Amino acid sequence: MVREWDPRNASSAEIASLLETLNAILATDLPQDPPWRETCLREYLAEVMPGERRISWVAQAEPAADGTPGPILGHVHVLLLGSIGVLEVLVHPSVRRRGIGRDLVLRAARRVYQEGFESIGVEVVGGTPAIAFYESLGFAREYVETRSVLDLNEVDWAELAQMSTGLGTGYHVQFHPGGPPDELIEAYARAKAEIRDVEDGELRPSSYDPQRLRDSLDCLHRRGMKPYIVLALHEQTGEVAGLTEVVVPAQHPTRADQYDTIVVQDHQGYGIDRAIKARMLLELRSAEPQLEEVQTWNAQANEAMLKVNAELGYRPDREWCEYSVDVAELVHRLDPTR
């Protein structure tokens, strides 16, 4: 049975059942990834940025003989984001290859088409069955990143402390748990605008406008995801010369997610990128003592950042791919009678 589903009013049993399916998928496809926890999972699924909408469906097993609802075996949500619908599909490994995934994609694609969007995008993890699944539906690969993982148990902390001080004169570094202070929001947004014209995936857009940046930070907190920021400030002008962002999700607090790392063009070549990322790791060591790993994603062409990450101890893990498809073509492929 497939039905539209809203995590905001779902029962605790449904949230727990969805979590079980998610962790079964991780254990099968990404066994090195930490299992997720139920902490703030409802909020993670429900909260969105202003102007965005998320619509979800679940595939649920038939009720038991005593009327107890069956477990959730599949889930799809589509985030209506700008000009694209961003898809995420989960199917329990025990019921794969039974058409559940196709049915869930069709439900979402029909809604995206009805909403007037022209394309659907999806992030697909390399080396998993999802690659063949989406390609069989006509999705085309648009962009590839490399995910790298840093094991904090293998870090040479003395060497890292040295790296954190290896930036040129005329700069000082600040650490801001929770997000940058409001008096720096505009300068922070200007620094983030540096990557606006750089080739980048469109499914995880950055925020360049000060108000949207505030909204983004607020949304992260509401979803149970705590941001940490390290800034390099240019002493002469007070401008943000570089920044790096790490988020620790309540849903998997032993592995943090690296977000943007940016060095403004006029300030490149002074060792800022390596210094601020090293400082971040040092701060996280005391701020989040349960943390064991940090994962980051980089474009394969971004050789400079890949080099910095390697110096810090990150090890390449697997490809992370963005796929897209024309919505009308997808609906027709899945439902030729339409």
Side-chain angles (χ1 to χ4, degrees), residues 260-278:
D260 285 341
T261 298
I262 298 166
V263 178
V264 175
Q265 187 171 358
D266 289 346
H267 302 281
Q268 292 178 3
Y270 296 96
I272 292 174
D273 45 6
R274 190 175 72 161
I276 59 177
K277 294 194 75 166

Side-chain angles (χ1 to χ4, degrees), residues 261-330:
T261 298
I262 298 166
V263 178
V264 175
Q265 187 171 358
D266 289 346
H267 302 281
Q268 292 178 3
Y270 296 96
I272 292 174
D273 45 6
R274 190 175 72 161
I276 59 177
K277 294 194 75 166
R279 171 69 178 274
M280 174 67 80
L281 295 171
L282 291 166
E283 296 287 357
L284 288 174
R285 188 186 188 191
S286 56
E288 297 283 347
Q290 83 291 343
L291 201 61
E292 298 174 3
E293 298 170 311
V294 181
Q295 58 185 0
T296 187
W297 295 262
N298 297 102
Q300 294 176 340
N302 191 350
E303 296 180 1
M305 191 55 66
L306 290 171
K307 181 176 182 294
V308 167
N309 287 339
E311 291 171 350
L312 294 169
Y314 284 87
R315 297 292 177 263
D317 176 48
R318 60 177 68 223
E319 288 187 341
W320 220 263
C321 313
E322 290 186 8
Y323 279 75
S324 68
V325 69
D326 179 87
V327 174
E329 291 179 5
L330 178 60

Side-chain angles (χ1 to χ4, degrees), residues 47-49 52-55 77-82 84-88 112 117 203:
E47 296 292 342
V48 295
M49 290 273 289
E52 298 176 0
R53 288 181 294 141
R54 180 182 281 114
I55 310 169
H77 71 242
V78 61
L79 179 65
L80 301 178
L81 172 72
I84 192 171
V86 181
L87 193 69
E88 184 172 352
V112 173
F117 290 76
L203 306 189

Side-chain angles (χ1 to χ4, degrees), residues 57-249:
W57 293 259
V58 292
Q60 193 166 8
E62 294 298 322
D66 63 359
T68 303
I72 291 176
L73 300 174
H75 172 258
V76 61
H77 71 242
V78 61
L79 179 65
L80 301 178
L81 172 72
S83 61
I84 192 171
V86 181
L87 193 69
E88 184 172 352
V89 181
L90 305 174
V91 176
H92 197 287
S94 66
V95 293
R96 284 176 175 171
R97 306 185 70 83
R98 298 186 189 179
I100 293 174
R102 289 176 66 92
D103 193 7
L104 290 170
V105 172
L106 176 57
R107 303 291 179 115
R110 281 175 176 162
R111 180 63 64 86
V112 173
Y113 181 75
Q114 292 165 0
E115 295 277 350
F117 290 76
E118 295 183 355
S119 63
I120 284 181
V122 63
E123 286 190 335
V124 189
V125 183
T128 68
I131 294 287
F133 171 72
Y134 286 108
E135 289 182 351
S136 74
L137 299 182
F139 283 78
R141 186 178 298 196
E142 302 287 347
Y143 182 77
V144 180
E145 291 181 311
T146 296
R147 183 179 78 167
S148 300
V149 179
L150 173 65
D151 185 342
L152 296 178
N153 294 314
E154 297 179 357
V155 168
D156 183 331
W157 294 102
E159 183 180 358
L160 200 72
Q162 254 189 332
M163 291 183 185
S164 71
T165 60
L167 75 169
T169 57
Y171 300 94
H172 72 272
V173 176
Q174 295 182 353
F175 171 63
H176 296 287
D182 199 65
E183 63 268 19
L184 287 175
I185 283 286
E186 290 193 7
Y188 192 87
R190 284 195 296 272
K192 286 177 73 74
E194 280 281 310
I195 65 169
R196 182 180 300 171
D197 299 323
V198 177
E199 182 182 1
D200 197 4
E202 64 176 323
L203 306 189
R204 285 180 278 128
S206 205
S207 298
Y208 317 118
D209 172 79
Q211 186 53 51
R212 184 164 177 81
L213 183 54
R214 292 185 183 95
D215 292 339
S216 177
L217 291 165
D218 178 62
C219 185
L220 283 173
H221 285 288
R222 286 186 282 112
R223 298 182 79 198
M225 306 168 74
K226 186 172 182 179
Y228 290 92
I229 310 295
V230 170
L231 304 177
L233 296 180
H234 186 226
E235 293 174 352
Q236 184 175 355
T237 63
E239 286 295 298
V240 173
L243 62 93
T244 190
E245 307 163 332
V246 168
V247 171
V248 179

